[in-house]
Amino acid sequence: MSNPAALATSSDDPVDALIKSIRIPPRPSLLADLQRELMSEDPSPATIGRIIASDVGMSGALLKLANSSFYGGKRKAKSIEQAILFLGINQVAALMTGLLARRTIGADHASLASFWDLSTRRAQAMVYLSRRLRIGEADVAHTFGLFCDTGVPLLMQRFPGYAATFADAANDPVRPFTALEDERHNTNHAAIGCLLARNWGLSSEVAWAILHHQDYTVLEDEATDDAVRALVALSLLAESAIQQYQGHGGSLEWDKGGARASAYLGLSDDDITDLLDELHDSFHGEH
């Protein structure tokens, strides 16, 4: 299994120069300030509120997201302080991290706009599943859901033909998604997404899960941290639910790794069907 640190530091890797040529956006200063406060012995909601409020555009976007039907429920926050009170500092930080990612990586191209819409839906599904199955922390699941495919827009910026590679890989019923990326570009979106996660100071479990989120053999690897395996398993369920919601007959990724995910999570076929139906209803209930 690859070490995320080695991906960023190895000078012996024959594709190291290529990876360094891919622009990994630096961590936003606002995110660094948030993380610094969260890592303190006693994180202050008031300090976190002031950090977020220092960026008017981001604070407005955060309030809108926090008050959406998925996160806000019946309580509507009128200020960042209320949003922190209703959702908790970790969930607010996770939402803010996602908003900063969207602004930093960009959404000015139509394909990237749809990419972020899909990433947002995946993050919501991950939060739902984490809470429903009582696995891991919802804010960690949310962050992973948003960031697991962030390597995609970065590779689109680097390689003119990457969009075709992505489409071909998405329609391959047998090989791992990353196999064709490696074959054509000598790297893949999981590796690049892992580098971004590390550069942005995200947790090691999120970085590891991003690196292996389409390597389903990791679900059977007992040497891998359970938090990582859980994120990978839940992401397969989220992907299947999204495909169903979009009207597709099935999910090729679920076909590749669903049996392993079900076994790891201890879920029967009926359990999976019920969860997918619940997620489908939650997607429809957003509006």
Side-chain angles (χ1 to χ4, degrees), residues 114-129 144-146 148-149 234-254 272 275-284 286:
S114 61
F115 165 82
W116 284 113
D117 288 343
L118 182 62
S119 296
T120 299
R121 189 170 298 283
R122 183 191 301 108
Q124 292 175 347
M126 293 290 293
V127 169
Y128 184 94
L129 290 168
F144 167 80
L146 277 175
C148 70
D149 282 343
L234 294 182
S235 71
L236 271 165
L237 269 172
E239 169 68 15
S240 187
I242 290 169
Q243 292 296 316
Q244 178 179 310
Y245 177 74
Q246 292 179 332
H248 302 299
S251 165
L252 290 180
E253 294 306 310
W254 181 261
I272 296 297
L275 280 171
L276 293 180
D277 287 344
E278 289 175 21
L279 273 171
H280 194 259
D281 290 343
S282 75
F283 291 157
H284 280 290
E286 291 174 15

Side-chain angles (χ1 to χ4, degrees), residues 217-235:
T217 61
V218 77
L219 294 168
E220 298 172 330
D221 181 9
E222 295 183 1
T224 299
D225 192 285
D226 272 334
V228 172
R229 297 161 74 191
L231 289 171
V232 174
L234 294 182
S235 71

Side-chain angles (χ1 to χ4, degrees), residues 29-203:
S29 59
L30 192 155
L31 178 59
D33 292 342
L34 270 178
Q35 291 171 337
R36 191 177 302 111
E37 181 61 28
L38 287 169
M39 291 174 65
S40 66
E41 289 187 10
D42 186 20
S44 165
T47 299
I48 291 172
R50 285 195 295 272
I51 292 170
I52 295 173
S54 67
D55 188 312
V56 176
M58 284 289 99
S59 57
L62 177 63
L63 270 180
K64 182 178 179 181
L65 187 57
N67 285 330
S68 67
S69 59
F70 189 88
Y71 295 105
K74 295 180 180 179
R75 298 181 298 179
K76 300 299 181 184
K78 296 181 181 179
S79 65
I80 297 299
E81 290 74 16
Q82 284 189 346
I84 293 172
L85 177 64
F86 294 161
L87 300 180
I89 57 176
N90 288 333
Q91 186 62 65
V92 166
L95 293 175
M96 195 67 187
T97 303
L99 289 169
L100 288 167
R102 183 165 186 155
R103 181 167 78 175
T104 304
I105 297 173
D108 53 348
H109 190 279
S111 62
L112 287 186
S114 61
F115 165 82
W116 284 113
D117 288 343
L118 182 62
S119 296
T120 299
R121 189 170 298 283
R122 183 191 301 108
Q124 292 175 347
M126 293 290 293
V127 169
Y128 184 94
L129 290 168
S130 175
R131 291 172 174 166
R132 174 71 172 76
L133 297 175
R134 298 181 180 180
I135 295 177
E137 300 295 330
D139 56 288
V140 173
H142 181 276
T143 300
F144 167 80
L146 277 175
F147 276 80
C148 70
D149 282 343
T150 47
V152 171
L154 299 180
L155 289 175
M156 282 185 174
Q157 294 169 7
R158 174 62 177 81
F159 300 108
Y162 178 75
T165 299
F166 183 87
D168 291 343
N171 289 306
D172 190 321
V174 178
R175 294 197 298 171
F177 194 103
T178 54
L180 189 61
E181 294 177 304
D182 287 328
E183 182 180 297
R184 293 183 182 177
H185 306 295
N186 291 318
T187 189
N188 62 70
H189 77 283
I192 300 305
C194 174
L195 290 181
L196 176 68
R198 292 188 67 251
N199 286 357
W200 280 35
L202 304 186
S203 68

